[in-house]
Amino acid sequence: MKRYFSAVTAVLLLIVFIAGADIAREGAKAGLALSFHMAVPALFPFFIAGTLLTDTGVTAWLGRACGWLMWKLYGLPGQAASAIILGFTGGYPIGVQAAADLYTAGQLNRAQAQRLLGFCNNTGPAFIIGVCGAGVFGSVRVGLILYFLHIVSALLTGLALTTAGHGKGESYQPPAPAGSLPFPAALVHACERAAQSSIKIAAFITLFSILSALLEQSGILRLLTDCLTPAALRIGIPAEGISPFLLGGMELTRGLAILPEAGLPYRLALPLASGLLAFGGLSVWCQSLSLAAASGLSLKRCFVGKTLHAAIATALTVFWCAAMPGAVPAFAPGQAPVFPFGMKVIPLIIIGFYMAFRACHAQFYANQSISR
């Protein structure tokens, strides 16, 4: 059945690309421009840095320095700190490559690497502050706040994924010294890996730019918006917020770019942007899959982590908007409206979901321990 579904999907895509050839071509142009003018220049140095840190033994040193703290908080070896740091500074999907490199180098086992993937793959400061803060909301200060909330929510996600069953009853063992490559060999390897990763990233950004253009021009996006409008209005979200949500769920940059066109008040636009930044979108998901494929790591835990991260980031941003009503972005309409009742309830629902997730996670590992 899966084989037939894949075949039918491939044929449908071919038909759509032929029927909408002009739209697909323009979408490809936009995707390639975005890739090589923004994404690749921003990510390429961090791809090189991440591989160099692993190949030259820096991650092993960082593991000895941060080992005890990482073990107590997340039940992970200290080397995992390098993937977390690179994920926060380099942006999507640097965290996935860093975790995969640690696993390939033998510094993390499979279970540890897959758990690390749940919260180490994040949006970088250049994108959140420069593109989202200054570019979309017209405020570097807003970008800094969103970046801070992004970090906090990712670390909370890591704690939720680590509840019970990880490192319990085990004593902390400092990591053994790891071998390293000479710097010239490490640099050559890092540059080769960075080139391969950059091509993959550009390909997926271009693909989802084409799909987004086809959705918009064909009227499918408008149809989906109309179908979801009644449910959105019930929780106080205007219909104008659905298109950024749908497009951002596919390709993050496109979803954020149309936020000013939607005319949403900042108390709705900021939480929406924060949630999209945390989730990353299907384009980032495919980029992450391509980088993790060679290592054989599963990204199921990564998907769970990004979904939880988006929920926590949205809730924290709603609280910040309520506490700081004067921080109105440039594109927002004059007077900030009062919070809709649904937006007041959403943080409470997310907090309840977070607590329930921790409890279920703890019970799951407790049952696993009993079965063993």
Side-chain angles (χ1 to χ4, degrees), residues 198-334:
S198 297
I199 292 173
K200 293 178 181 178
I201 300 307
F204 283 113
I205 290 177
T206 303
L207 170 62
F208 279 92
S209 178
I210 294 172
L211 294 177
S212 297
L214 288 170
L215 281 177
E216 290 183 86
Q217 296 298 321
S218 66
I220 295 177
L221 181 65
R222 181 74 262 171
L223 178 62
L224 290 173
T225 300
D226 293 340
C227 292
L228 294 174
T229 295
L233 292 176
R234 285 182 178 276
I235 60 173
I237 298 176
E240 292 79 7
I242 299 176
S243 293
F245 173 79
L246 292 175
L247 289 178
M250 289 184 59
E251 210 294 308
L252 177 61
T253 306
R254 179 57 181 158
L256 293 175
I258 66 171
L259 267 177
E261 302 171 11
L264 295 173
Y266 84 105
R267 294 188 179 189
L268 297 178
L270 285 180
L272 175 58
S274 186
L276 290 174
L277 289 166
F279 184 69
L282 293 179
S283 177
V284 167
W285 179 251
C286 290
Q287 295 166 31
S288 301
L289 280 173
S290 69
L291 295 182
S295 65
L297 292 173
S298 169
L299 290 188
K300 291 181 181 178
R301 185 63 62 87
C302 182
F303 182 79
V304 172
K306 296 316 296 176
T307 303
L308 184 59
H309 184 190
I312 296 172
T314 301
L316 291 179
T317 309
V318 168
F319 286 134
W320 177 73
C321 290
M324 303 291 291
V328 182
F331 74 80

Side-chain angles (χ1 to χ4, degrees), residues 337-361:
V338 178
F339 255 127
F341 175 75
M343 291 300 290
K344 295 178 181 178
V345 174
I346 284 177
L348 300 178
I349 295 174
I350 292 175
I351 291 172
F353 171 75
Y354 177 79
M355 299 303 294
F357 180 88
R358 287 178 62 92
C360 292
H361 202 262

